[in-house]
Amino acid sequence: MRKVIIAGNWKMYKTQGEAAEFLMEFMPQIDDAPEDREVVLCVPFTDLTIVNKSLHGNRIRLGAQNVHWEECGAYTGEISASMLTEMGVRYAIVGHSERRQFFGETDETVNLRLKAAQAGGLIPILCVGETNQQRDAGETERVIISQLEHGLVGVDLDRLVIAYEPIWAIGTGETCETTEANRVIGIIRDRSKSPQISIQYGGSVKPSNIDEIMAQPHIDGVLVGGASLAAADFARIVNYQ
Ligand code: PGA
């Protein structure tokens, strides 16, 4: 059975006070969600302590938004897997398109981060996806396959989650057609040659489209940006029908 993973990516939002407020409102609303849905919150590093404390005994898993490939060293602004696991972190997003676009992340650095995350005991969530122009040029499959081929060298597929996030759908309100997302995710599953791998969809997931997205046979969960910031919206996503 493939695991269903509903993950929120808070990006650079929420102070500790705001995180605490969110949790107070959010937790009671997911009490009745089926047990087999893994709920993950990928929060800013500064929120890890407070979120971890508030999760005690709860079913939410803690996630980070990045992880460096070295255990320690002169890498200003970076963080290592052991620093994260010590804080109770289980998951780390790797290769999000915003990191590729604004912080020079490449398939090579993504690969290094994935391997280090796994070696350090984290489950990485690898993000792949095409731009608008690549989609319009009919290059979606080529781009995704290339990102996977380069990114996954030496990576253990049994301890990995993949998120298909078409870049043009992130933060735009423009969701990928659910059947198209399902098709691309099916291709990713075939290429990974790992039938058990959980593959998420990400890009403008919201309460109004979650039921249709999760009804698709290849889609095992979602990676949610904007709509994970509002407790009621993210709770509705977790409680998809
Ligand atoms: P969005 O972001 O849900 O706001 O489109 C998704 C993501 O960046 O992971």
Side-chain angles (χ1 to χ4, degrees):
M1 269 285 280
R2 302 190 318 248
K3 203 176 204 174
V4 170
I5 303 170
I6 309 293
N9 171 13
W10 281 1
K11 308 192 180 185
M12 197 173 71
Y13 288 101
K14 291 200 193 294
T15 61
Q16 292 192 58
E18 290 163 344
E21 248 174 64
F22 172 95
L23 289 168
M24 281 222 314
E25 198 187 331
F26 177 66
M27 307 246 258
Q29 295 188 57
I30 61 162
D31 275 351
D32 298 331
E35 296 275 319
D36 56 359
R37 294 181 192 176
E38 184 112 304
V39 181
V40 182
L41 283 176
C42 300
V43 303
F45 299 134
T46 49
D47 290 339
L48 289 173
T49 308
I50 187 144
V51 177
N52 189 30
K53 272 192 203 139
S54 326
L55 301 182
H56 236 63
N58 197 282
R59 48 176 305 180
I60 300 176
R61 301 273 178 253
L62 197 54
Q65 300 171 16
N66 193 17
V67 56
H68 195 260
W69 53 85
E70 293 292 347
E71 186 53 31
C72 56
Y75 300 101
T76 304
E78 290 283 335
I79 197 147
S80 73
S82 60
M83 292 169 180
L84 293 172
T85 51
E86 189 185 40
M87 313 279 297
V89 174
R90 307 273 190 96
Y91 289 88
I93 297 174
V94 173
H96 189 280
S97 63
E98 286 152 15
R99 295 219 49 95
R100 294 180 193 254
Q101 185 183 352
F102 302 125
F103 302 100
E105 198 78 73
T106 64
D107 289 332
E108 286 65 41
T109 55
V110 164
N111 178 253
L112 291 171
R113 291 185 200 273
L114 290 173
K115 288 188 288 197
Q118 290 186 334
L122 294 166
I123 298 182
I125 302 176
L126 164 65
C127 299
V128 296
E130 81 286 0
T131 63
N132 219 343
Q133 292 88 329
Q134 289 165 334
R135 173 194 62 174
D136 292 347
E139 292 180 347
T140 299
E141 288 168 35
R142 184 192 62 73
V143 170
I144 306 286
I145 288 168
S146 163
Q147 287 174 338
L148 292 173
E149 269 174 7
H150 292 96
L152 290 180
V153 178
V155 172
D156 178 358
L157 297 175
D158 292 333
R159 290 183 296 142
L160 177 75
V161 176
I162 298 177
Y164 168 53
E165 297 207 303
I167 296 169
W168 47 270
I170 294 178
T172 58
E174 199 188 334
T175 323
C176 184
E177 284 283 328
T178 48
T179 48
E180 171 62 5
N182 186 63
R183 185 186 73 83
V184 176
I185 288 175
I187 292 171
I188 296 173
R189 178 160 291 112
D190 283 351
R191 296 298 292 209
S192 74
K193 298 196 177 59
S194 173
Q196 290 311 313
I197 194 165
S198 290
I199 309 181
Q200 301 172 309
Y201 166 77
S204 297
V205 175
K206 44 197 171 216
S208 59
N209 59 25
I210 184 66
D211 300 339
E212 192 185 332
I213 291 169
M214 291 307 296
Q216 295 293 326
H218 281 303
I219 303 182
D220 304 320
V222 283
L223 183 55
V224 187
S228 72
L229 295 170
D233 285 354
F234 194 48
R236 172 63 184 86
I237 289 170
V238 170
N239 290 310
Y240 71 85
Q241 308 291 310

